[in-house]
Every structure is written in structure tokens, then in C-alpha cells.
Amino acid sequence: MTEAPDSLRIDKWLWHARFFKTRSLAAKQVSEGKVRVNAQKISKPARSVSAGDVLTFPQANAIRVVKILALGARRGPAPEAQALYEDLSPPSEQPSQRPLERSGPRPTKKERRRLINSRPDPLE
């Protein structure tokens, strides 16, 4: 087995930890200046990170704050990837998206329109 290095490129670490599906997506986020290392904005994917560094970056609709615990030698399965970091993100304040519970037969077309129009617009 190969040992984990002392430092690793940030785009590679984000990919190893499974925050991004591809390394190029991770590099793009870093290049656009959307990633911070120890509260300093960075813009080069080749920036080295090591254990103990704190990363802040957007992922989906949330801001992630993670502390690097280890540098992986490979991009392994999810449990192995989750052991590489400690999540410091505050719990989300948004209610969980649960499917609506049905209490009878299917709604009519008129009832569906009323339900759709009563929901808040996600783009606003």
C-alpha cells in the first residue's frame, strides 16, 4: 500500500474526499476563487493543503466548512472519503424536503394547479 503524502493539491484532495465528481470540477471551483483555505481566498488548483487546514467552499445550495484530518492516497469509497475530514458546517436551517403524504385518492387537475400555485417560487 502507498502512504498518504504530507501535502496534496487542493483540487485533488477535494476530489479524493468526494466533494466534487471530477477533479476538473474541483479545479474550476478553485480557479474561480470560490474556495478558501484557512480563511484566505485562493485561485490556484495547485495550492497544497495538509492535515489541519480548514476549507470553506460552496457545494450545491450550502456553504461547506471542513477541517482536513488526513490526505488520502486514492479516491476510495464514501466511508473512506468521509474519514478524511471533519464537517464544521452549521446545520442547515432549511426544513427537510419530505414527500407530501397522501390522504386519499389522486388530486384532480384543479387541486394540482391550486397546490402548485400555493408553493413559493424557488427562483426568488
Side-chain angles (χ1 to χ4, degrees), residues 56-76:
T56 307
F57 56 94
Q59 185 183 31
N61 294 331
I63 301 294
R64 299 292 302 260
V65 181
V66 296
K67 180 178 181 182
I68 299 175
L69 299 177
L71 304 174
R74 67 185 185 114
R75 186 173 198 255

Side-chain angles (χ1 to χ4, degrees), residues 29-62:
Q29 287 286 338
V30 175
S31 296
E32 291 175 355
K34 296 181 179 179
V35 180
R36 292 176 183 256
V37 177
N38 298 327
Q40 292 183 336
K41 193 179 281 192
I42 60 167
S43 61
K44 294 190 177 186
R47 163 75 155 75
S48 294
V49 293
S50 57
D53 287 343
V54 177
L55 305 180
T56 307
F57 56 94
Q59 185 183 31
N61 294 331

